[in-house]
Amino acid sequence: ILDCVTCSTARSLFESALTQLHRHVPSASNGYTGWAPCDSAPAFVAGLQQAVSEYGGRLVLVFDNAAGLAERKEVLTLLLSLHTLCGSAAVSIVFVAEALWPEAHELTAFAPLATVRFGGYSKAQLEAILAVDAPKGCEAAWRDFLPLFVSYSYEICRDLHELRYLCRGAFGEWMRPVHDGLIDAGDKGALLRAGKVCLQEARKRVYAREAPLTRKAEAARAVDGADGGGLALPTSAKWLLLSAYLASRCRPGMDSALFASRQKGAPSSRRAKRARATYDEPHAFTMQRLLAICAALRHAGVGGGQPMAPELTQVASLLRLRLLHRASRAEELDAVRLSCAAPLELVDATARELQFDLEVYLAG
């Protein structure tokens, strides 16, 4: 059995296969080396032929995580031709992957592949598999947590590896009120009410390789800067973050009074007095409005007068960091709407770093 991710080169793939087929065990006596060096296709084929003649019977090479072989076409072509090159029907190849390669027939030159598809795990099966990962001392809480986690995640992700990764992080946040002494571990109702947010956040982090942090922890790490390993945002992204927060809190009809004639970080006192009308809850806003507010803020701010290209490129970064969310549907390209998910602690820390008086816009 060969892992195509671990064996990232053709040589490592060939040598690992021959080492296993010839039942060679690396040890101190042989210098922890493989069965034989193999850096070419002819040497690999010769090694397979020798294994067939020595051991007889059928040789089956199983290539796990084979999706990456689509990018290594020469290796894939060789593997598909082993039956012919070895001159023996005893050599069989099995590829294991999450899905069939894109344009598989063209990629394999219409090789006679037999495709076997397996259905996904059911909820009960996923719970049984994830139960094996129960942390020591928390087995009972883990069993109570799994049905809720699987129920929340099942519709959007059934990848076992991803679910195991998310489950560990979400469980830590789920148990945080218990560890802090705020909730008794036996009070399932209170635990469910307090932990519902972490289950929702877990769904948002599918395939997003982010640390399982609460929003307050993210804000604290961002304030710490490089020493804390927090969010190291470029200046253009910081201005975008401030603009997004203001766009989500300030009413669109007040944009002219608040931002059109900004001077040194604050609107004029007369206009600001009329314009201090903000939402109690964050609202969605258009991409056009976000960029317009950002341009107005930066015009008299730090680094003002720079082109808008950096802002356009940093919107995607803020979306990946889950500081911005897309509020419109993916097919709506002409009027993209966003929402700001950044906590006030992070926005306030960013404003202080940019020497921007955020309170002037949010007061009253």
Side-chain angles (χ1 to χ4, degrees), residues 44-106:
F44 179 55
V45 173
L48 287 178
Q49 291 174 332
Q50 185 176 342
V52 171
S53 61
E54 287 182 1
Y55 300 104
R58 180 174 295 277
L59 299 182
V60 180
L61 297 176
V62 180
F63 294 88
D64 196 9
N65 296 314
L69 290 177
E71 301 175 359
R72 300 151 69 179
K73 192 171 182 179
E74 293 182 358
V75 175
L76 180 59
T77 302
L78 171 64
L79 296 178
L80 292 172
S81 306
L82 284 180
H83 180 82
T84 303
L85 295 173
C86 292
S88 173
V91 179
S92 300
I93 305 295
V94 176
F95 299 105
V96 180
E98 296 289 337
L100 195 63
W101 299 303
E103 302 178 353
H105 295 298
E106 180 181 351

Side-chain angles (χ1 to χ4, degrees), residues 246 250 258-259 262 265-267 278 356-363:
L246 291 173
C250 299
L258 285 172
F259 309 117
R262 176 178 182 265
T278 59
F356 179 85
D357 192 354
L358 184 65
E359 291 299 325
V360 171
Y361 295 85
L362 302 179

Side-chain angles (χ1 to χ4, degrees), residues 326 328-336:
R326 181 159 182 166
S328 57
R329 295 192 297 269
E331 60 268 21
E332 295 181 2
L333 301 179
D334 54 341
V336 177

Side-chain angles (χ1 to χ4, degrees), residues 171-187:
F171 183 70
E173 297 299 331
W174 173 271
M175 294 298 293
R176 185 181 297 275
V178 176
H179 297 322
D180 293 343
L182 302 177
I183 297 177
D184 183 77
D187 191 347

Side-chain angles (χ1 to χ4, degrees), residues 14-23 35 38 43-44 47-48:
F14 296 159
E15 291 183 354
S16 179
L18 294 178
T19 296
Q20 294 184 51
L21 288 175
H22 288 273
R23 303 173 187 175
W35 176 72
C38 182
F44 179 55
L48 287 178

Side-chain angles (χ1 to χ4, degrees), residues 18 191 193 217 236 276 296 305 317 361:
L18 294 178
L191 194 58
R193 290 191 294 271
S236 56
R276 285 172 184 170
S317 298
Y361 295 85

Side-chain angles (χ1 to χ4, degrees), residues 73 79 116 128 142 144 149 151 168 180 213 279 306 349 361:
K73 192 171 182 179
L79 296 178
V116 180
W142 183 265
D144 294 336
F149 173 79
S151 179
R168 287 192 294 268
D180 293 343
L213 302 173
Y279 293 119
Q306 296 183 5
Y361 295 85

